């Protein structure tokens, strides 16, 4: 294989030299083309297993064992179908999601979506740093030193003025998440148990209680988050993916979905192991310490480092989705390919998000519990509305032409939207009437 | 439009990646490639308000108002405005 400058074939109007890679076989061509496109799908999916996700999945395992594993198999196609729509929209228009809502639905909906996104994202970022704080404390590192260092690292990987550098760094961080498989394997879940829990839907003893319902809603809300729609579309636009890249971008998204769901299942197995050993769940960092007493300090430290990695991935993706969305709506230059001096507003939003969230966590007595509650409520409100806009845009033939949704896409997506609305309304009903569902009796 | 787009996007070249001059397959990273012509959303203007779009947006407004009322009620309830918190 060689690198050389090539030119577009004759006959193309305005052809300019483009840098290309030359290979001999068709298979090598396919593989390297995939590698060139690979990135946004994996990142958006793996970054979705952020601090909140680690907490939700390990809690699900700690409270209900492997009973909710099947839900992950159900969520795999759901998360893929939603993000696949984003792929088509991003490639066909070359614009971000916020710009699209602003221009096609008008200022009111545009500003509503932007404001909602920015608030939910910021509150989520605070929870990411709260997780880093927790993990650093259990690792014996002073958070007052560790959190600013993590924040500086997050800024440095982004402001280099190279999309490729950022993407490569983040893909490496995503691949580090594969260590969750080692942790799950160390918990000796048993092949038969794994297969059964994933394939056979079951509910824990005690039936549908308020706690179980909340956890199911939290799992769904964690697996499909509003920022993902904005992030992946902007990322695709920034990477300038082409129409011919659609099949590879779909594959990238599908592999990312498989990876994120498998890792989520691993987190549940870790939670289940802690339950089987009689540990009481308080938070994932404490779970790491508890599991460390039976599996050794290496596992404990790996677990805590993976928590930090999850929060770092979540932070960079969520902050970028905020910065891209703000830049798109304001009409500012907004690309990771641009140096700081050419996209000051874009980088300033990213910097501000990271710095403010890190600073809030370091304030003694900050209302973190209230912030976590706020994230759940606002994300619950925003998710159905964000998906409605996505669905309407994907049916916009004027905008997408042949890339618009087919009838079978619509059937699947409207089903997803109805389920999400129903879950949100159940959550709302439970908030309005807390005694609506029976309380858990603790026998799971 | 699709034919023009195909020519401008040079889709055949990218899909098969076969360069006749070199007799080899060519891979071009999206960031190293010429910018593609995309649909210009600015000239399209706002989305036409068909019946389904209108109903979807109306339902969304109703849902958002309902959620706002419920959350406000819960906040006021927690503040003890209705005679004690839960």
């Amino acid at each position: 294989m060689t690198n050389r400058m090539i030119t577009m074939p004759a006959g193309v109007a305005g052809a300019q030299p483009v840098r290309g890679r030359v290979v001999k076989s068709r298979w090598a061509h396919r593989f390297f083309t995939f590698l060139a496109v690979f990135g946004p799908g994996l990142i958006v999916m793996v970054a979705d297993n952020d601090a909140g996700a680690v907490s939700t999945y390990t809690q699900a395992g700690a409270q209900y064992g492997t009973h909710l594993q099947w839900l992950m198999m159900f969520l795999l196609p759901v998360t893929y179908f939603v993000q696949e729509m984003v792929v088509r929209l991003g490639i066909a228009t070359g614009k971000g999601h916020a710009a699209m809502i602003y221009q096609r639905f008008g200022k009111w909906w545009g500003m509503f979506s932007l404001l909602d996104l920015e608030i939910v994202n910021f509150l989520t970022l605070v929870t990411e740093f709260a997780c880093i704080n927790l993990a650093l404390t259990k690792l014996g590192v002073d958070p007052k030193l560790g959190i600013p260092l993590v924040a500086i690292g997050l800024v440095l990987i982004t402001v280099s003025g190279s999309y490729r550098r950022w993407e490569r760094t983040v893909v490496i961080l995503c691949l580090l998440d594969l260590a969750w498989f080692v942790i799950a394997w160390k918990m000796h879940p048993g092949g038969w148990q794994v297969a059964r829990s994933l394939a056979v839907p079951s509910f824990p003893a005690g039936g549908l209680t308020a706690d179980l319902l909340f956890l199911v809603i939290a799992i769904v809300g964690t697996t499909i988050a509003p920022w993902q729609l904005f992030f992946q579309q902007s990322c695709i636009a920034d990477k300038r993916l082409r129409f011919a890249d659609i099949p590879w971008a779909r594959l990238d998204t599908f592999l990312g979905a498989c990876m994120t769901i498998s890792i989520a299942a691993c987190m549940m197995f870790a939670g289940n192991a802690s339950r089987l050993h009689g540990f009481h769940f308080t938070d994932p960092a404490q779970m790491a310490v508890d599991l460390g007493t039976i599996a050794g300090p290496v596992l404990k430290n790996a677990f805590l480092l993976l928590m930090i990695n999850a929060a770092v991935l979540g932070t960079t993706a969520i902050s970028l989705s905020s910065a891209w969305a703000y830049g798109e709506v304001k009409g500012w230059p907004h690309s990771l390919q641009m140096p700081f001096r050419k996209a000051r507003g874009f980088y300033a939003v990213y910097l501000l998000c990271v710095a403010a969230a890190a600073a809030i966590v370091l304030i003694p007595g900050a209302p973190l519990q209230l912030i976590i509650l706020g994230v759940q409520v606002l994300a619950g409100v925003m998710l159905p509305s964000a998906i409605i806009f996505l669905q309407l845009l994907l049916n916009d033939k004027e905008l997408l032409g042949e890339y618009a949704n087919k009838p079978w896409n619509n059937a699947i997506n409207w089903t997803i939207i109805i389920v999400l609305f129903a879950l949100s309304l159940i959550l709302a009903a439970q908030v309005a009437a807390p005694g609506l569902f029976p309380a858990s009796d603790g026998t799971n | 439009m699709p034919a023009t787009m195909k020519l401008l996007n040079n889709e055949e070249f990218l899909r098969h990646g076969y360069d006749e001059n070199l007799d080899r397959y060519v891979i071009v990273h999206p960031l190293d490639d010429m910018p593609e012509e995309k649909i210009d959303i600015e000239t399209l203007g706002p989305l036409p308000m068909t019946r389904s779009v209108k109903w979807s947006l109306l339902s969304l407004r109703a849902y958002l108002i309902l959620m706002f009322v419920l959350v406000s009620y819960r906040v006021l309830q927690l503040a003890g405005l209705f005679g004690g918190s839960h």
Side-chain angles (χ1 to χ4, degrees):
Chain A
M1 193 177 69
T2 55
N3 280 325
R4 66 180 82 169
M5 294 292 284
I6 58 154
T7 53
M8 300 296 251
V12 178
Q16 292 169 16
V18 291
R19 211 154 64 95
R21 183 163 282 197
V22 178
V23 290
K24 284 181 182 176
S25 80
R26 181 180 282 265
W27 283 106
H29 166 248
R30 285 181 177 170
F31 177 69
F32 286 108
T33 305
F34 170 66
L35 283 190
V37 174
F38 178 70
L42 180 86
I43 294 169
V44 74
M45 292 296 187
V46 178
D48 187 43
N49 276 344
D50 63 348
V54 175
S55 181
T56 305
Y57 297 136
T58 51
Q59 186 183 352
Q63 286 187 344
Y64 299 106
T66 54
H67 282 293
L68 297 179
Q69 291 277 11
W70 61 271
L71 193 60
M72 304 316 298
M73 293 308 287
F74 168 74
L75 287 171
L76 172 63
V78 172
T79 187
Y80 170 74
F81 279 121
V82 170
Q83 293 303 133
E84 188 273 340
M85 291 200 284
V86 175
V87 168
R88 276 185 281 142
L89 193 58
I91 291 180
T93 62
K95 301 269 185 198
H97 202 62
M100 204 66 52
I101 293 174
Y102 199 82
Q103 282 171 350
R104 292 300 271 168
F105 294 96
K107 267 187 187 175
W108 196 90
W109 286 115
M111 288 313 287
F112 162 78
S113 298
L114 180 68
L115 202 71
D116 206 356
L117 177 79
E118 299 291 342
I119 294 170
V120 180
N121 276 4
F122 182 70
L123 295 178
T124 312
L125 286 177
V126 177
T127 65
E128 306 291 356
F129 277 102
C131 170
I132 295 173
N133 189 354
L134 217 60
L136 285 174
T137 308
K138 298 286 184 197
L139 279 168
V141 179
D142 183 2
K144 282 179 187 154
L145 179 75
I147 287 182
L149 280 177
V150 172
I152 291 167
L154 277 159
V155 171
L156 287 179
I157 59 169
T158 308
V159 298
S160 67
S162 163
Y163 173 90
R164 264 182 272 219
R165 202 171 299 140
W166 169 82
E167 190 186 74
R168 280 172 194 160
T169 311
V170 178
V171 165
I172 290 169
L173 293 178
C174 287
L175 296 178
L176 285 179
D177 254 16
L178 291 171
W180 281 109
F181 286 98
V182 180
I183 289 183
W185 177 69
K186 284 272 184 189
M187 298 295 116
H188 311 294
W192 170 242
Q193 189 199 359
V194 173
R196 199 168 138 258
S197 63
L198 287 170
V200 184
S202 67
F203 267 105
L208 191 65
T209 60
D211 286 348
L212 176 60
L213 190 70
F214 268 116
L215 204 55
V216 168
I217 293 172
I219 289 172
V220 175
T222 300
T223 315
I224 316 157
W227 66 262
Q228 289 182 275
L229 312 179
F230 291 83
F231 172 83
Q232 194 176 8
Q233 194 172 332
S234 298
C235 197
I236 282 171
D238 208 354
K239 194 171 179 179
R240 302 205 319 241
L241 292 190
R242 304 147 298 194
F243 288 96
D245 296 328
I246 287 180
W248 300 116
R250 280 180 175 142
L251 181 61
D252 175 30
T253 307
F254 179 72
L255 292 177
C258 291
M259 187 167 161
T260 195
I261 293 292
S262 313
I263 289 169
C266 291
M267 291 176 194
M268 280 196 193
F269 281 120
N272 181 47
S274 130
R275 172 176 169 267
L276 293 175
H277 285 89
F279 297 117
H280 175 68
F281 180 84
T282 48
D283 60 69
Q286 184 55 44
M287 179 186 280
V289 174
D290 293 339
L291 291 176
T293 60
I294 52 165
V298 174
L299 183 128
K300 181 198 92 173
N301 292 338
F303 198 118
L304 292 169
L305 287 171
L306 284 173
M307 274 177 69
I308 295 173
N309 190 45
V312 164
L313 280 169
T315 304
T316 190
I318 293 168
S319 305
L320 270 175
S321 80
S322 289
W324 268 319
Y326 208 78
E328 286 157 15
V329 171
K330 286 278 173 193
W332 294 342
H334 52 275
S335 172
L336 287 171
Q337 278 289 89
M338 290 178 168
F340 190 88
R341 65 178 189 285
K342 286 189 178 171
R344 283 171 211 255
F346 165 70
Y347 286 117
V349 174
Y350 180 88
L351 238 149
L352 199 70
C353 288
V354 172
I360 284 177
V361 170
L362 289 176
I363 298 171
L368 294 178
Q369 201 51 43
L370 190 70
I371 290 169
I372 292 168
L373 190 71
V375 170
Q376 287 171 345
V377 171
L378 280 169
V381 170
M382 194 185 173
L383 182 59
S385 56
I387 292 188
I388 281 266
F389 286 125
L390 182 68
Q391 174 70 353
L392 292 176
L393 286 168
L394 264 291
N395 277 287
D396 186 352
K397 296 239 173 6
E398 199 181 16
L399 181 72
L400 293 181
E402 63 179 296
Y403 299 101
N405 269 358
K406 306 281 182 290
W408 68 268
N409 288 119
N410 284 331
I412 292 171
N413 294 329
W414 281 117
T415 309
I416 294 170
I417 289 170
I418 289 166
V419 170
L420 289 177
F421 263 96
L423 290 176
S424 286
L425 290 172
I426 291 170
L427 186 67
Q430 177 66 17
V431 168
L436 198 65
F437 297 96
S440 174
D441 61 359
T443 57
N444 299 311
Chain B
M1 191 164 112
T4 316
M5 192 174 277
K6 198 171 178 177
L7 178 68
L8 288 173
N9 290 331
N10 205 4
E11 203 172 326
E12 290 300 318
F13 173 79
L14 288 166
R15 193 184 300 280
H16 303 295
Y18 187 71
D19 189 286
E20 283 177 13
N21 300 327
L22 296 168
D23 193 25
R24 293 287 187 274
Y25 290 94
V26 179
I27 302 142
V28 182
H29 190 280
L31 290 169
D32 294 330
D33 205 352
M34 287 196 303
E36 253 187 355
E37 190 197 35
K38 304 282 188 183
I39 297 144
D40 185 5
I41 55 167
E42 276 161 36
T43 57
L44 284 179
L47 189 74
M49 281 292 138
T50 59
R51 190 178 289 181
S52 63
V53 173
K54 210 180 278 182
W55 273 103
S56 300
L57 293 179
L58 207 67
S59 315
L60 187 56
R61 267 181 213 268
Y63 163 79
L64 290 171
I65 291 167
L66 175 74
M67 294 300 273
F68 177 75
V69 170
L70 282 171
V71 171
S72 306
Y73 167 76
R74 185 66 176 149
V75 169
L76 294 174
Q77 195 182 35
L78 288 171
L81 210 74
F82 305 122
S85 63
H86 292 276

